[in-house]
Amino acid sequence: MTKHLLPPVYTLAAAEVAEMTRAEREADGRRVFRGVYVSRSVDLTFPLAVRAALDVLPEGALASHRTAAALMGAPVEARPLLDFTVRPGVYRARRAGIRSHVRDLTDRDASRVGGLPSTSGPQTWLDLAAVLPDDELVAVGDALYRRGHLDADAVAERLARAAGARGVVRARACAPMLTPLAASRPESLIRCWIIVAGLPVPRPQVPVHDRWGRAVTHADLGYEEWKIALEYEGRQHADPDQFGRDIDRYSLMGADGWLVLRFASRHGPGTVVDRTRRALLTRGASW
């Protein structure tokens, strides 16, 4: 029997110190990476997998890139590799499932997310600018804003120090598009497509007022001047209660003269831009 208690995440070396037999280790531990295990007594969550990776990385390693963004709750595509940033000159043992990036970062570029060491929000967003297209980068940036990991001053400060960094040109072009008001990834994508196409910039969470000037609802995106609302319909809108609330919102908008364009996952950039342009022209917009 193991003579010493082990935490939920432990290394092979720690198991040997605890006098855990091979049979006990195989019964209890799931090998997440070579030399590190997570006990079967707990769920193998994403943060726990990150913690396991940190146990076999050099001191000072930070979760970074997509891994940091995922810890912060940003909408990033799941990847089998976990990304970490380490300081120059340290020994990096290779592990399947772990990708190390070498960066000489300052203390301002580091943070903690859920108790785990991570690159800061601005550094994470700058790192992703080298690998994400504009629309996805804006969606990640909006999410980081929304969750308090990013703000305009912090982005400006990091970009001011980013001369020569990979992705800095894209980051500087996309930074003015970021907002904490976008409520979801699709809303961020739609807004980015419209802005990049050169159309007037739609306002997120635009209020819809009744004839007495009271805000009776909000559109995902819209143009108050021309009373055009842009709505994204995700799967949650199929819920009967949500569907009923949506119908009520759309009838309120229509009753007060709003033109509502509804989009879904089937609608790509070309469709969204074309229909928004046509709607703007029907309302007498010029730009």
Side-chain angles (χ1 to χ4, degrees):
M1 295 288 292
T2 302
K3 294 187 178 180
H4 305 282
L5 291 176
L6 287 168
V9 178
Y10 55 88
T11 62
L12 176 59
E16 291 173 345
V17 169
E19 301 182 27
M20 176 182 273
T21 67
R22 181 175 180 177
E24 288 174 333
R25 192 173 68 247
E26 290 177 350
D28 173 75
R30 291 165 290 196
R31 194 178 86 157
V32 186
F33 307 104
R34 179 167 55 86
V36 62
Y37 301 82
V38 173
S39 174
R40 298 181 191 276
S41 65
V42 297
D43 293 332
L44 181 54
T45 61
F46 182 75
L48 211 54
V50 173
R51 181 167 298 170
L54 287 164
D55 275 355
V56 292
L57 285 166
E59 184 178 353
L62 304 170
S64 64
H65 296 74
R66 285 183 173 87
T67 301
L71 287 175
M72 296 175 191
V76 288
E77 181 185 359
R79 293 292 179 92
L81 286 174
L82 296 183
D83 289 293
F84 295 87
T85 289
V86 299
R87 296 189 305 272
V90 299
Y91 172 71
R92 294 175 290 142
R94 295 185 179 276
R95 293 288 193 283
I98 297 175
R99 177 167 50 197
S100 296
H101 307 264
V102 179
R103 296 282 193 283
D104 189 11
L105 301 179
T106 70
D107 290 343
R108 289 175 290 182
D109 303 322
S111 182
R112 296 192 74 84
V113 181
L116 297 171
S118 165
T119 49
S120 66
Q123 180 63 44
T124 299
W125 191 68
L126 175 60
D127 286 337
L128 291 177
V131 296
L132 295 181
D134 291 358
D135 55 357
E136 294 292 353
L137 185 64
V138 169
V140 169
D142 284 353
L144 295 180
Y145 259 75
R146 199 163 56 240
R147 295 176 178 273
H149 299 291
L150 209 61
D151 61 51
D153 291 340
V155 171
E157 188 278 330
R158 184 62 191 94
L159 294 183
R161 296 186 286 113
R166 289 186 62 213
V168 66
V169 173
R170 172 174 288 142
R172 286 173 175 160
C174 291
M177 300 187 217
L178 302 184
T179 175
L181 298 179
S184 68
R185 171 179 171 271
E187 291 176 32
S188 297
L189 298 180
I190 288 173
R191 196 179 78 259
C192 181
W193 297 340
I194 290 171
I195 295 172
V196 170
L199 300 185
V201 178
R203 178 180 173 185
Q205 305 305 313
V206 61
V208 176
H209 299 94
D210 63 15
R211 56 182 174 173
W212 295 283
R214 298 174 302 188
V216 292
T217 188
H218 289 76
D220 293 340
L221 294 163
Y223 302 95
E224 290 178 276
E225 180 180 354
W226 302 293
K227 284 195 170 184
I228 297 173
L230 312 177
E231 293 281 305
Y232 180 80
E233 308 288 349
R235 291 183 178 180
Q236 74 276 11
H237 292 268
D239 175 80
D241 289 339
Q242 182 62 52
F243 181 77
R245 288 192 293 271
D246 289 340
I247 293 297
D248 191 41
R249 289 173 64 239
Y250 299 145
S251 63
L252 280 171
M253 292 179 188
D256 289 310
W258 283 76
L259 171 60
V260 181
L261 302 184
R262 301 167 66 184
F263 298 109
S265 58
R266 63 183 293 176
H267 299 120
T271 299
V272 169
V273 169
D274 176 64
R275 294 182 185 178
T276 302
R277 177 186 289 111
R278 288 158 57 189
L280 285 165
L281 291 174
T282 66
R283 292 299 175 101
S286 60
W287 57 93

